Amino acid sequence: MDKNNSSENQEQEEQVVNPWEVSAKGKIDYDKLIEKFGCQRLDQSIIDRVARLTGRPPHVFLRRAVFFAHRDFNEILDAYERGEKFYLYTGRGPSSEALHLGHLVPFMFTKYLQDAFKVPLVIQLTDDEKCMWKNLTVEESQRLARENAKDIIACGFDASKTFIFSDFDYVGGSFYKNMVKIAKCVTYNKVVGIFGFTGEDHIGKVSFPPVQAAPSFPSSFPHLFTGMDNLRCLIPCAIDQDPYFRMTRDVAPRLGYHKPALIESLFFPALQGETGKMSASDPNSAIYVTDSGKDIKNKINKYAFSGGQDSVENHRKYGANLEVDIPIKYLGFFLEDDAELEYIRTEYGAGRMLTGEVKKRLTEILTEMVERHRRARAAVTDEMVDAFMAVRPLPNMFR
Amino acid sequence: MDNNISSENQEQEEQVVNPWEVSAKGKIDYDKLIEKFGCQRLDQSIIDRVAHLTGRPPHVFLRRGVFFAHRDFNEILDAYERGEKFYLYTGRGPSSEALHLGHLVPFMFTKYLQDAFKVPLVIQLTDDEKCMWKNLTVEESQRLARENAKDIIACGFDVSKTFIFSDFDYVGGSFYKNMVKIAKCVTYNKVVGIFGFTGEDHIGKVSFPPVQAAPSFPSSFPHLFAGKHNLRCLIPCAIDQDPYFRMTRDVAPRLGYHKPALIESLFFPALQGETGKMSASDPNSAIYVTDSGKDIKNKINKYAFSGGQDSVENHRKYGANLEVDIPIKYLGFFLEDDVELEHIRTEYGAGCMLTGEVKKRLTEILTEMVERHRRARAAVTDEMVDAFMAVRPLPNMFS
């Protein structure tokens, strides 16, 4: 995202979206973002195509346009129809132990993609990035990476098809060779334009983008994809990661590689509303996977921004403002039943259903989700983490 | 070296010395260089101290002022006197197969240091650097690294005390962790000041300095130096490498590491004179380790710049200009016998000895040297290269 300082652009630059900053005056304008970034909307025809090709209903995040934009997803589907497989690549920057629901979104969707298309997956834990940006020690960022791996594994990935790696463990060999090849193709001016680095930034930051680009190319994983240089890559991620992969797609043809395809999600809204920021320092801005049922009920009731009217009388008269109501938005993410969601939206929008009911339903859903996650995570042992992170071939990765 | 383009500095900036460019109007002024870089002259007292501590005569390169500058070499000797060992670190950028005599100088000296002090040695082959700067493919730079390793091994290093590594093979793990720690401590502005990078340079170049810095810290080699965090490092190198290690020494205390010490050499003069440039594209600018006795004789006779007078008569009258005479300079490097060298200098300087005699003696010495090297290199097998490059402990490295 160009951080162009000319005054002309500053008027247009009401919103800033890059891997380290997401902010806007008011809500994020996703239409403008798609236009500025140059990616495509995910339309209904693609969603129908996915359902047809995978023989199962499309994931709730597709139906509700949580994943709403893409680059070359059609080409992935074209190739898949021809019998050509692909692999998935997603990641996490392990900056804290506390994961919230927004962090789970890309992993929930990626698990669906793995199951639906029966393809392998690599997951990058960018402990080096967090060490560099968050001023963590090497040891601390590695520790966080392993802790986060447990939450990721708890999302239900198939160990026979999934390779999780931390940069501090894995960078080297073929991966490092690709980092160098990529770095040769990107000037300093270019990364300034894409990421907004300045002369006072340390060179670790400048050298990082190739690290996040490298997993887009199958030759970075010789233990998995030797001899499969033509294997395509699909990257599910939040749209703030787009700059890394715009850069990568620009470089790929010069290295004789396929451009990675992307499928991108909106930002998960903070409890206090779309204009708020989820922040690790404000525990009431998000629902964490470590929250108890009581915490969840309390946070939803007290902090979830309501689009309902200020009195029951007004609410029955005017109905709720669905555009700003956070519980409705959260239900959009996590209530799988389209019919029930439509019902709630209609009733609440007309004022026949009250805020309390909506929040109660949401609390039920989130509590069940968080408790399932917590049980799954408690069952993840260090041995399982080692298994997912072992550098090993995945002989059944396309079954 | 600041490539500062202000006009005030341009007057002072008659000479440019950095890892990618060495040039001057006329000869290099080493006094100015030492002053500008901020390193120290190696004086006779240090040389005497070395002889005293090692129980053997100091190397010809010390006696002749070839290695003439240092940083903290006294501290290395202080520690050594207290019974504290150190390790050696030197390297080569494998940009070509053809090594010339100038390339051998740091390796000849490093072998002496290894034998005299009985210390281990790591040798870095910066194939990633050459891939990035010389636009070689990864495979080609790796191949050159292995070929150059054979010439290096032919210099006679002790395999039980020497670890040779190429970056493309070795970067990763603890080494990569140190690269990241170092990179965090150096801003982009700083590397611009030290190395002269510009916005049009690719980010591979910007990210490279930490790669050359990392071997200065023992924790980069856990298979060698685990638990020896206090082990000091001494870096023999040509003085154009000083910028890398100025940067490294600046960073070291912030990481809780010892600053590496340096012992630095002059530049090896080109055959055609101090103001000339040795260039791989001009085979007559240097003596190569692949030259035959006939080539050497021919090159010395035809191309070695002579400080002798233009006629025998004038020569007998005025004597030779020893300051510019290349054969005399080369003898300074490679004729070990101080007495003989002094005799030649006196006689030639007085005009009693002719250029032809000097060149003949030089040819003898170089031919013997190059033939010894060629025999040694022919005896280096791929298995020996693998042995030197294997990641293995060196249990006898201080014996």
Side-chain angles (χ1 to χ4, degrees), chain A residues 181-362:
Chain A
K181 287 183 180 182
I182 293 161
K184 281 172 77 170
C185 293
V186 184
T187 64
Y188 177 75
N189 283 340
K190 185 103 193 183
V191 296
V192 168
I194 296 175
F195 300 106
F197 297 141
T198 73
E200 279 310 298
D201 283 315
H202 61 67
I203 56 178
K205 294 186 180 184
V206 177
S207 63
F208 179 73
V211 183
Q212 184 154 330
S216 311
F217 305 131
S219 52
S220 295
F221 305 100
H223 62 292
L224 299 179
F225 303 134
T226 296
M228 293 181 214
D229 291 323
N230 248 351
L231 187 64
R232 290 167 189 271
C233 176
L234 173 65
I235 307 174
C237 60
I239 196 166
D240 64 338
Q241 301 298 309
D242 191 84
Y244 279 117
F245 304 114
R246 273 207 305 284
M247 180 198 83
T248 310
R249 284 168 57 89
D250 186 57
V251 164
R254 286 188 267 164
L255 301 185
Y257 292 149
H258 279 311
K259 297 180 186 183
L262 275 77
I263 185 164
E264 302 167 298
S265 70
L266 314 159
F267 302 113
F268 193 78
L271 271 174
Q272 62 270 36
E274 292 267 14
T275 54
K277 260 189 77 160
M278 273 189 298
S279 163
S281 51
D282 178 7
N284 295 322
S285 62
I287 306 290
Y288 289 87
V289 300
T290 44
D291 285 345
S292 66
K294 204 164 154 199
D295 293 327
I296 294 173
K297 180 170 169 180
N298 192 45
K299 285 187 186 181
I300 298 298
N301 284 342
K302 285 178 76 172
Y303 301 107
F305 186 83
S306 174
Q309 300 299 338
D310 44 12
S311 68
V312 173
E313 195 187 348
N314 282 337
H315 185 78
R316 298 258 184 235
K317 201 192 282 190
Y318 301 112
N321 179 354
L322 301 182
E323 280 311 300
V324 303
D325 189 88
I326 284 299
I328 284 292
K329 287 189 186 299
Y330 277 31
L331 286 172
F333 278 77
F334 300 121
L335 171 51
E336 301 224 10
D337 186 335
D338 291 343
E340 185 185 350
L341 179 67
E342 199 41 46
Y343 176 76
I344 293 173
R345 289 178 63 86
T346 309
E347 296 298 290
Y348 188 48
R352 290 186 289 273
M353 190 181 287
L354 298 179
T355 294
E357 281 187 67
V358 179
K359 288 188 167 186
K360 183 161 177 268
R361 182 65 181 122
L362 177 64

Side-chain angles (χ1 to χ4, degrees), chain B residues 102-384:
Chain B
H103 293 135
L104 290 188
V105 162
F107 291 108
M108 294 167 73
F109 188 65
T110 302
K111 170 186 162 50
Y112 151 78
L113 290 171
Q114 177 172 71
D115 293 346
F117 288 93
K118 300 188 188 348
V119 288
L121 161 65
V122 301
I123 301 178
Q124 178 183 47
L125 298 168
T126 57
D127 43 5
D128 51 354
E129 181 207 2
K130 292 310 170 187
C131 175
M132 290 197 275
W133 259 269
K134 298 281 181 185
N135 205 25
L136 300 168
T137 65
V138 167
E139 294 71 25
E140 182 64 5
S141 56
Q142 282 193 289
R143 189 187 72 79
L144 289 173
R146 268 188 83 89
E147 285 306 301
N148 285 187
K150 291 180 181 171
D151 283 284
I152 291 169
I153 290 167
C155 293
F157 294 104
D158 182 343
V159 66
S160 71
K161 294 184 163 117
T162 305
F163 174 54
I164 302 177
F165 65 99
S166 91
D167 289 341
F168 276 134
D169 287 344
Y170 190 68
V171 164
S174 301
F175 192 95
Y176 179 62
K177 290 174 190 175
N178 272 339
M179 282 166 56
V180 170
K181 285 184 180 183
I182 294 161
K184 281 172 76 171
C185 293
V186 185
T187 63
Y188 177 75
N189 284 340
K190 186 103 191 182
V191 294
V192 167
I194 297 175
F195 300 105
F197 298 141
T198 72
E200 278 311 298
D201 283 315
H202 60 67
I203 55 177
K205 295 186 181 184
V206 176
S207 62
F208 180 73
V211 182
Q212 184 154 330
S216 311
F217 305 130
S219 53
S220 295
F221 304 99
H223 61 292
L224 299 179
F225 304 133
K228 298 196 177 70
H229 295 304
N230 249 349
L231 187 63
R232 289 166 189 272
C233 177
L234 173 65
I235 307 175
C237 60
I239 196 166
D240 63 339
Q241 301 298 309
D242 192 84
Y244 279 117
F245 304 115
R246 276 207 302 285
M247 179 198 85
T248 310
R249 286 168 55 88
D250 186 57
V251 165
R254 287 188 266 163
L255 301 185
Y257 293 150
H258 280 310
K259 296 181 186 184
L262 275 76
I263 184 163
E264 300 167 297
S265 70
L266 314 161
F267 302 113
F268 194 78
L271 271 174
Q272 63 270 35
E274 291 268 13
T275 53
K277 259 190 77 163
M278 272 189 300
S279 161
S281 52
D282 178 4
N284 294 323
S285 61
I287 305 292
Y288 289 88
V289 299
T290 44
D291 285 346
S292 66
K294 205 164 154 198
D295 293 328
I296 294 173
K297 180 169 168 180
N298 193 46
K299 285 188 187 182
I300 297 297
N301 284 341
K302 286 179 74 172
Y303 302 107
F305 186 82
S306 174
Q309 301 299 339
D310 44 12
S311 69
V312 173
E313 197 188 344
N314 281 339
H315 185 78
R316 298 261 186 232
K317 202 194 285 193
Y318 301 114
N321 180 354
L322 301 182
E323 281 311 301
V324 304
D325 189 271
I326 285 300
I328 284 292
K329 287 188 185 301
Y330 277 31
L331 287 171
F333 279 76
F334 299 121
L335 171 52
E336 301 226 10
D337 187 336
D338 288 343
V339 171
E340 185 184 351
L341 179 66
E342 199 42 44
H343 172 78
I344 293 172
R345 287 179 64 88
T346 309
E347 297 295 290
Y348 187 49
C352 312
M353 192 181 284
L354 299 179
T355 296
E357 281 186 68
V358 179
K359 287 189 167 187
K360 184 161 175 270
R361 183 63 181 121
L362 177 63
T363 300
E364 259 173 33
I365 289 170
L366 295 186
T367 302
E368 186 189 321
M369 207 173 99
V370 166
E371 282 187 352
R372 184 216 68 79
H373 182 90
R374 233 197 344 273
R375 278 193 308 271
R377 195 205 192 277
V380 176
T381 59
D382 279 312
E383 288 70 29
M384 284 166 69

